[in-house]
Amino acid sequence: QHGPVFTIFALGKRFTFVTEEEGTEVFFKSEDLNFEQAVQQAVKNAVSVPAEAFYENHGNLYSMMKGKMSPSNLHMFSGTLCKELREYMAHLGTEGMGDLNALVRQVMYPAVVNTLFGKGICPTSLSEIKEFEEHFQKYDEDFEYASQMPECFLRNWSKSKKWLLKLFEKVVLDAERTNPSETASKTLLQHLLDNLQGKHLAPNYGLLMLWAAQANAVPVAFWTLAFILSNPAIYKKVMEDLASVFGKAGKDKLEVSEEDLKKIPFIKWCTLEAIRLRSPGAITKKVINPIRIKNFTIPAGDMLMLSPYWLHRNPKYFPDPEMFKPDRWKEANLEKNAFLDSFVAFGGGKHQCPGRWFAIMEIQLLVVLFLYKYEFVLLDAVPKESPLHLVGTQQPMAPLQVRYKCRE
């Protein structure tokens, strides 16, 4: 509508959007753009980490996360995560009814927290989790507004943030108290604490890590299941694949290793296709020196915005862009950990999300365990995605009620 490069003025800042190939190339490759400066204010507002501490820590923590969560290290998480997911799935009982997004969150949230932070470190018992979840949900819901606006405008959000930071003071103390000397036994939180400059900021970084681990993975797992269950041919193919690797569905105590996941690539394709369709509205970098794109000069100080949501709907790169077509991922070299061209859900260039391979694995595991154990019936149509958020995975506009029961 506004052409390949356009600028809007909001919240006292200039946001310049690029939509064409040339803009995408510049966004990921130009040395005149800076990622840290673009997100620093948001991090300061959202978790109260001051600018100098953020710059001091970002490179080191990013490298640590990237190393610990690289594809070659995923086996260190998969066994624990599978066991944790099974444990919290048991709380759903043998049959029931509910909103699919809520069911996913109920299982995924405590399982992932126990895997990354250590068991018993964060509140995951049924009595404690209620209050925690209410605060975390409020925090997540308004995270985007809070990252751009003064806290005084968001009273409830501010209350939840303070509650969570207070909780993380205790979480950090517990993690430090139980921090083992040998590297292999440490949780991701303990690695974070070992690498952090300025220990007083440990609760703030702990909260940021929790948000990063949960805010996108839960809705993506929901969308993956919703798309599979609402496409009979795809659902049938998924169940045939599961039967070929694990035998007849419904067995209790299913052990799923990282090797098993490699034998069912179709579920990975479904996950990536759900991510493609529900990617963030925008990712951003700050222009530090003027740059030229097409015939436009973009001045220093602008926030340069690229929209994965739009890019993933460009028929030039993704034919039938609105269709859920997992088979398109056949073309990607996933064995070499490469995505399809123009797929930028996790960013691109040197600042891709360091936890992307872990996120894809946790979603695959959840999908496998859910579909293997339960038969689902959708009671509603799949909801539209909410247009209210630019940052992070698109959330559903409405609940998706399902009935589930254990397979015979």
Side-chain angles (χ1 to χ4, degrees), residues 219-257:
V220 172
F222 159 78
W223 287 117
T224 307
L225 284 165
F227 286 136
I228 290 172
L229 293 168
S230 61
N231 281 282
I234 289 172
Y235 188 17
K236 183 168 177 276
K237 162 99 175 95
V238 165
M239 294 316 296
E240 283 167 0
D241 281 5
L242 290 181
S244 72
V245 176
F246 304 111
K248 188 172 174 294
K251 264 194 316 220
D252 235 15
K253 289 258 171 35
L254 181 65
E255 299 280 351
V256 187
S257 68

Side-chain angles (χ1 to χ4, degrees), residues 276-292:
R276 179 188 73 81
L277 282 167
R278 294 294 178 263
S279 283
I283 50 182
T284 180
K285 288 186 177 180
K286 189 166 185 176
V287 182
I288 44 177
N289 295 310
I291 51 170
R292 274 186 80 69

